[in-house]
Amino acid sequence: MIGRELFISENTVKYYVKNIYAKLGIGSREELIDMAISGCGGDDSSQDE
């Protein structure tokens, strides 16, 4: 779906996702969701002081 909208192949999308996961130090979509929910690795500038 993403590949079609961006006019890139499915393999390219998989390659990019794999590299993003590696940079985040995770290995699955589940780990990505857990990271997003817990707020790890994010920008703290949106929190009130």
Side-chain angles (χ1 to χ4, degrees), residues 4-34:
R4 277 184 272 157
E5 289 192 28
L6 297 175
F7 304 103
I8 57 177
S9 75
E10 182 178 341
N11 288 334
T12 301
V13 174
K14 288 179 181 180
Y15 175 79
Y16 288 153
V17 169
K18 178 181 161 187
N19 284 327
I20 291 168
Y21 286 0
K23 287 181 181 184
L24 293 173
I26 59 174
S28 70
R29 185 178 294 170
E30 183 178 328
E31 289 179 73
L32 178 62
I33 293 168
D34 289 342

Side-chain angles (χ1 to χ4, degrees), residues 30-48:
E30 183 178 328
E31 289 179 73
L32 178 62
I33 293 168
D34 289 342
M35 179 183 278
I37 290 171
S38 70
C40 292
D43 183 346
D44 290 336
S45 64
S46 64
Q47 295 180 354
D48 292 333

